[in-house]
Amino acid sequence: MKIIWTFSLLMIPGVLSSISVTGYSGGGVIITCRYEGKYTANEKYFCKEETLTCSDLIKTGIKNQWFKSGGFSLYDNTSTAVFTVILKDLSEQDSGMYKCGVDKSKSPDSYTKVNLNVVTAADCCEKSISLSAAAGGSVNISCRYPQSHSADVKFVCRRSGSDLCAEETSVKESRRWSAEGQMQLYDDREQQLLTGIISHVTQHSAEYWCGVQSDQGHKSFITQVLINVTGTDDFLTHINRSNSKSQLGSIQQITVFCVD
């Protein structure tokens, strides 16, 4: 029945494809939508279908940089003919049918149908975790995920300001460590458990998210990880003093060299 439904949708003029995305209450999703390359100059939009209309949630003609409106963000990558939409702070009421659309002034719009299903993963996964770490040290995190995502790529990313995912590390294989920057990840697919080690933490506090990425490139953020870093002021003072001594030593060496 699903195959017939999808095929029927693609027979409707303007429909390029149909995708399904699972989001988690309190988290967010990143949705990628392809369009025909000849429409790179057109405005792109993301709307939610109502009874007879599709109400725009975000719409822009800005290219190759993020455009933000309310709780939504859109990035139109004209080199790949793909635009990306970010939805944050999801609730179950956000479930429904959406459209990733290309605005055409002289012909019907072309769009991708998006079936967003927002669920609460209380049976398997924590919504939020709070941890503490010493400045300059490391912290271990553990995030469970639904069994339905066992084969998907897992990731942990740090949130910075209004950006949902500023720095990201991912792991694509089960029971094999993956390292990038200050983070190491390990995915045990039999236990549905993602483990991470974040080293050299220096910020007063930081917000990370554990999530999954589908084979279509869509990302779902499941568990929020809040890290409170203790002793940050003393640690930064020590670093600054060390840097000052290093710079003073360099100046002294230069002074002696000039006298000679």
Side-chain angles (χ1 to χ4, degrees):
M1 182 65 71
K2 183 178 180 181
I3 297 175
I4 296 175
W5 178 76
T6 303
F7 178 77
S8 299
L9 274 176
L10 297 181
M11 294 297 291
I12 300 175
V15 179
L16 299 176
S17 62
S18 176
I19 58 179
S20 295
V21 179
T22 300
Y24 294 89
S25 180
V29 291
I30 296 179
I31 300 171
T32 56
C33 300
R34 299 187 178 277
Y35 59 88
E36 296 179 84
K38 60 184 177 180
Y39 297 118
T40 55
N42 294 58
E43 286 188 308
K44 311 303 185 301
Y45 62 85
F46 188 75
C47 65
K48 186 173 184 179
E49 289 190 342
E50 307 295 344
T51 305
L52 298 174
T53 62
C54 193
S55 303
D56 287 345
L57 301 174
I58 186 170
K59 182 176 183 178
T60 182
I62 295 176
K63 313 299 177 185
N64 303 310
Q65 67 182 63
W66 283 106
F67 173 77
K68 300 177 182 180
S69 178
F72 305 91
S73 301
L74 190 152
Y75 187 100
D76 183 10
N77 189 333
T78 57
S79 64
T80 59
V82 173
F83 73 90
T84 302
V85 180
I86 297 178
L87 289 74
K88 298 181 292 187
D89 304 321
L90 294 173
S91 66
E92 293 184 14
Q93 287 69 36
D94 292 316
S95 296
M97 296 299 300
Y98 295 79
K99 291 180 181 178
C100 289
V102 175
D103 187 15
K104 301 178 186 178
S105 58
K106 298 181 180 180
S107 60
D109 292 353
S110 58
Y111 55 89
T112 295
K113 300 274 286 188
V114 180
N115 180 18
L116 176 62
N117 182 31
V118 181
V119 300
T120 300
D123 294 339
C124 75
C125 320
E126 293 182 88
K127 192 172 182 178
S128 182
I129 301 171
S130 295
L131 302 171
S132 294
S138 62
V139 60
N140 297 337
I141 62 175
S142 295
C143 299
R144 295 197 173 276
Y145 54 82
Q147 187 176 11
S148 58
H149 292 297
S150 291
D152 291 337
V153 173
K154 314 304 182 307
F155 66 85
V156 172
C157 68
R158 183 178 63 84
R159 186 167 185 171
S160 177
S162 60
D163 294 329
L164 185 57
C165 202
E167 299 175 7
E168 178 182 319
T169 300
S170 61
V171 57
K172 299 179 180 180
E173 299 180 69
S174 181
R175 295 185 174 179
R176 186 182 296 272
W177 283 99
S178 175
E180 184 175 347
Q182 296 175 274
M183 194 179 304
Q184 301 178 64
L185 294 182
Y186 184 88
D187 180 19
D188 188 333
R189 294 182 176 181
E190 291 188 10
Q191 300 295 325
Q192 289 91 58
L193 180 65
L194 177 64
T195 302
I197 302 174
I198 304 172
S199 58
H200 307 297
V201 293
T202 58
Q203 297 178 331
H204 285 275
S205 61
E207 178 183 348
Y208 291 82
W209 280 87
C210 298
V212 297
Q213 178 177 322
S214 71
D215 56 2
Q216 295 177 310
H218 313 302
K219 296 179 181 179
S220 299
F221 297 77
I222 301 174
T223 301
Q224 179 191 51
V225 182
L226 299 173
I227 299 176
N228 179 42
V229 182
T230 59
T232 307
D233 293 334
D234 293 339
F235 177 75
L236 292 178
T237 299
H238 172 73
I239 294 296
N240 290 333
R241 285 177 178 175
S242 298
N243 289 338
S244 297
K245 289 180 180 179
S246 176
Q247 292 172 2
L248 179 59
S250 299
I251 293 172
Q252 289 173 341
Q253 290 175 4
I254 294 173
T255 303
V256 172
F257 177 79
C258 291
V259 171
D260 291 342

